[in-house]
Structure formats: C-alpha cells, structure tokens
Amino acid sequence: MSLEQVKETGPTTVNFWHEQKDLMLVSLTVLFFYLSFPGADLPYFAWIAIVPALLAMQSAKPRHAFFIGLLAALFGWMVSIWWSVEGVAKISQSHPSTILPIIFCFCIYSALPYALSSWLYCRFQWQRSILGALKFATVLTLLVNYTPQLLPGNLAHSLYIQPSLIQLAAIGGVPLVFFVIHIVNALFAHALYLQKYKIRGAMHAVLLAVAICVANGWYGHVQLQKSPIETSSKQTLNVAIVQPNIGIDERSREDWPAAQEKINQLIEQAKAQHIPIDLIVLPEVPVPISYQNYSSDRLSMNNWSEIADVLSTSISFDGQSSSLEKATQYYNSVEHISHQRLQTSYHKQRLVPFAEYLPFEQELPWLRDIFPNTPNYNPGTNSPYIEIDNQQISTSVVPLICYEAVFSGLVGQGVAAGGSVLLNVVNDAWFADLAGKKVHLALSLFRAVEYQRPLVRVTNNGISGLINHKGVFDPNSMLKLHDANVKIVRVTPITENTIYQRYPRLFLLVAVLFLVLTIFTPYLRTTFKRKSQHEPM
C-alpha cells in the first residue's frame, strides 16, 4: 500500500489490512505445520513452516509479535494432535467434551515458548541480521526443548521418514535437529525482509540456509553408510514380535481367554518357523494380565518360556489384594519370564495424564467427579533395564512402555545401565487409524538415532517392526495394521556410546554460551569504551 493510499484510506483501513494479512500468514504457518507433521507426512514443509509467521512479525511491536507466535503455535498444535482427544477419552472412559479443554490448555502451554521467542524476535529486532536469526533459533530451541513437556513433539519429528536428515541427533539429540530446521526458517525470513532494499544481503541469507540444508543432508548420508563400531556380541538376538490385534472393548478378565488363545496360536506359529527364538515380546493390551497375580496367566507364560524368554506387558498389583479392583497399589509393568520363573519386573515411570493417573487429584479432589474412571497407577522408580541371559545369548534390553519412548532422558538411563537394544511395547489401538500412531512412532524413532541402538516396536495392532540404530525402518520386519500376526526379527545389540549419550547437555551448554557471548559482549564493549573515554590522559 503506497503513502498516498494510506493518506486516502486512513489508519483504520491500514490496520484492518495488516490484521488480515497477519491472519493469512499465521494460517499459512498452521497449514505448513500440519502438512509437515507425522500423519500428513510432507516433511519438506518443515523447512519453511514458520517463515510466514516470522514475516507477519517483521514490523510488528513486541506485544503483537507475542500474540502472533502464540496464535500460530496454538493452532499448529491443535491441528497436529486433535486425534488425542478421542484416544484419551477412550482410555480414561471419559466423554471427549471433558478431554477437549484439557488438550486445549496443553496446546496453550506448548505454544508459550514460541510466543516468548516471537516477543524477543521483535524486541531486539533479530529479523534484521543473520546473527539475529541465529539468536532467534537458539532461544526458540532452548525454550521448546528444555522446558518440561507432557508430549515433547516439535517440527524436528516431522523428519522421521527422512533418516539422512536427522543423524545430527546422535550429537545433540532432538534439540540440535530442531535448531537446524529453525535457523533455516529464520534465514529465509531474514532474506525476505532484506529482498526489497538489500538484494545482496538477501542472497547471502538464502545461500547460507541452502548450505546448512545441504551440509545436514550430506552428513546424514555419510553416517547412514557407516556400521556400528562395537556390538555387545557377535551373536544376534532373535525377537518374536507378537501383534495380537485385541480390540479395545476387550478390557475385562472375562475377555481374556479368547485373546489368550489367539496369542497361543501366534506363538505356535512362530515356533513352526523353525527359527531359534531368544525372546518373545507381548505388547500392551487392553486386558489386565499378570504372571505374578493370575495363575491362569502363569500357566500360559510358563509354556511360552519353554520356547524362549518372555517379556509381557502386565498390570501388576500388591500381593495383599485378591484382584485388581481391590488393589491399593498397581503398576503398568513389563514382566520378564525365563525358565518358568518371574525373573524381574520393570514398572512404568512416565504415566499418561488423565489416562493412567489424575493430575492434581490431591489438591483438586473434585476432578475425580469429572473423571471417575481414570485409573490411578503408581509410577515405578527402577531404571528401564532387563538382562536377557540364556544359553544362546547374553545381552540387555531397555523396556519402554508406551509413550515412555518419547522421553530421551529416561531412555538414556537404560542405555547408561548397559542397555544394548531398545524395546517399545505399545497399544495405539486407542487412536484407531488416526495420526496418533505415526506421531508416536516418530517421537520414539529418534531414540534409536540419539543412542545408536536398534529399536524394536511391539504393538497391539500396529505399527510394529524393527528400526535400526540409524532410525531406518526395516520394511521386511513390519506387520500389517490390524493384523493378528507374529514376526521374528534379527536384532544386533550395540554397545557403542554416542556423543549425545556421553554428553547429553553439550548442545545446551554451547547454545547458552553463544547467547551469553553475543548478547552481553556488545554491552561490555560499550561500557569499557565509555570508561576509557572518561579516563584522564
């Protein structure tokens, strides 16, 4: 809009035009975020996803930029995790209308780091320089990745189907991949800011963004060609992945005999393949089962353990109770059965809010009236680590129950204890065929890259299979969705530690040091200059 047009139309029309433009740019960012995220699976949009929102902030006041960032991130999250409303409602046996406000509040909380970064972006005019773009990407990375999150998902996870672009995770984890994506976005936005009056500077920004993309891809390509240096054994671990496809309506012990018979048949099917099996793994299922607490389960699992060690995802409860309903303490657990004995149990530590426990129930007891059917599992305290030691092989696995696999620090505990194989047992049947299955897979897959460990996913009805230590899904290991089947996969345990495993806070320290140097050095330089000018000759 020209100066003459501004004079003719007046400030009200100009403000309205700017508001409409900002809303369109925010909507474009929301669309790009949705398209790039797992489910839509168009990851290339991640490299330009926040460019429109940054353009809307180019001449905005800090307060306005805060709301632009908040709005873009809020609706970006909403369109990306809308599937969770129905899934959590099914798990907790609640109405979706009671879950929707909770998800909305979660999205607001998750949007706050983006809003604060947007405020800083305009407050310090970071859009005006390449150094400013670096500062913005660094601050955004720190706020998003190092603040507590219930579901630590972001644009970095959109690259899960492009392993060559996520190999930097072995150096700096998800935060480093996140930083690379957002520095590219910020550089493109900076180039668009300059293109009207400083075309050479704009070209420099574009060339730098392209160079970062190419370097990231080249590094990933080189890493994919490498083999792990150290393995825990020359032998491999043959794992029978059991995918029983039990319906989510089959939730009582009365439903279990039919499901149990189905699992018996699948294990017999695996045995008939005449391939040595070291480990049989059962996923999370809707029915409460337990070797420790139910004699009928003990009988079946003892039979299975004659074939191989068994890892079963169970609901274990205190021995003083005669049933789960009467138990005062119960856990979502992985039980390790070997030689017809319960060797050890791992209790889930990261519980799903409103699905496995009711947050703030002590402080707000009226929440129980709204969510009367929400379980009250107890969190475990032992590290996720189970030893598999039999005549065929001696190794260790890191058992991760459901969404525990999305928390890098917890996985790191198991790897530090000696875990050489990651094992994720899941029941994503709650999310039907919605994007939740792929989101869960994407967030979990990054653990394989960060720690360079093979990841075996065993799910109730898909997505099941083997992901190698570089984050590549073995297509021959995959089981069809909604198919009751079993697959024996050959896994090579790995013991080599990555840079990220040895120094998980390395990127955090480098990022903080960069901000301190770039933000405070100019002030210190100015202060010393003023002092020197006032000193007597």
Side-chain angles (χ1 to χ4, degrees), residues 288-504:
I289 64 174
S290 173
Y291 181 96
Q292 179 178 348
N293 297 108
Y294 296 112
S295 57
S296 60
D297 296 351
R298 193 175 306 123
L299 180 63
S300 294
M301 294 181 192
N302 279 337
N303 292 333
W304 302 340
S305 70
E306 292 179 357
I307 303 171
D309 284 22
V310 177
L311 290 185
S312 172
T313 311
S314 309
I315 307 300
S316 57
F317 50 90
D318 59 88
Q320 304 300 319
S321 304
S322 58
S323 66
L324 178 61
E325 291 73 19
K326 297 179 180 180
T328 57
Q329 291 187 336
Y330 48 94
Y331 304 86
N332 193 350
S333 306
V334 168
E335 295 179 325
H336 175 208
I337 301 98
S338 179
H339 301 98
Q340 300 187 339
R341 289 182 57 189
L342 177 62
Q343 301 296 327
T344 186
S345 294
Y346 165 71
H347 301 319
K348 185 177 182 181
Q349 297 184 50
R350 293 282 188 161
L351 302 177
V352 182
F354 298 97
E356 293 179 312
Y357 77 102
L358 195 56
F360 310 113
E361 183 175 7
Q362 298 298 322
E363 297 80 6
L364 305 171
W366 49 266
L367 283 174
R368 180 56 65 177
D369 297 328
I370 302 175
F371 303 97
N373 298 312
T374 299
N376 193 24
Y377 288 95
N378 289 272
T381 56
N382 54 324
S383 294
Y385 176 81
I386 291 178
E387 293 224 17
I388 308 297
D389 192 359
N390 54 45
Q391 295 179 352
Q392 288 75 35
I393 190 170
S394 178
T395 189
S396 53
V397 300
V398 180
L400 305 164
I401 303 174
C402 191
Y403 101 137
E404 282 191 317
V406 311
F407 295 97
S408 185
L410 179 65
V411 178
Q413 291 179 25
V415 173
S420 55
V421 176
L422 308 182
L423 183 64
N424 192 198
V425 286
V426 181
N427 181 14
D428 281 340
W430 307 106
F431 305 115
D433 287 328
L434 304 178
K437 289 178 182 289
K438 289 187 176 181
V439 172
H440 195 176
L441 168 64
L443 270 62
S444 304
L445 178 143
F446 271 75
R447 305 294 84 76
V449 183
E450 287 174 341
Y451 297 102
Q452 299 286 276
R453 297 292 190 269
L455 169 62
V456 182
R457 290 193 93 238
V458 185
T459 73
N460 179 28
N461 71 345
I463 305 168
S464 300
L466 172 64
I467 300 166
N468 76 4
H469 63 290
K470 298 293 185 180
V472 180
F473 221 120
D474 179 2
N476 296 321
S477 72
M478 293 184 65
L479 292 167
K480 294 181 180 178
L481 289 173
H482 309 294
D483 188 18
N485 208 337
V486 63
K487 178 86 71 170
I488 301 174
V489 297
R490 181 170 295 177
V491 185
T492 301
I494 297 175
T495 56
E496 179 187 6
N497 287 329
T498 62
I499 294 175
Y500 181 70
Q501 165 63 15
R502 295 194 296 268
Y503 312 105

Side-chain angles (χ1 to χ4, degrees), residues 134-150:
L134 281 166
K135 291 178 183 178
F136 169 74
T138 304
V139 167
L140 183 59
T141 302
L142 293 176
L143 290 175
V144 170
N145 290 276
Y146 296 104
T147 54
Q149 295 289 339
L150 292 176

Side-chain angles (χ1 to χ4, degrees), residues 128-130 187-188 190-209:
R128 297 189 175 186
S129 68
I130 288 178
L187 286 170
F188 281 140
H190 173 61
L192 291 171
Y193 171 80
L194 291 179
Q195 56 90 22
K196 291 182 179 179
Y197 58 91
K198 197 174 180 182
I199 191 65
R200 180 176 294 181
M203 288 301 299
H204 289 166
V206 170
L207 289 174
L208 181 57

Side-chain angles (χ1 to χ4, degrees), residues 244 246 250 253-265:
I246 300 173
E250 302 175 45
R253 288 294 299 179
E254 288 72 22
D255 297 316
W256 177 233
Q260 191 177 37
E261 180 58 31
K262 183 190 296 186
I263 293 175
N264 284 332
Q265 293 174 4

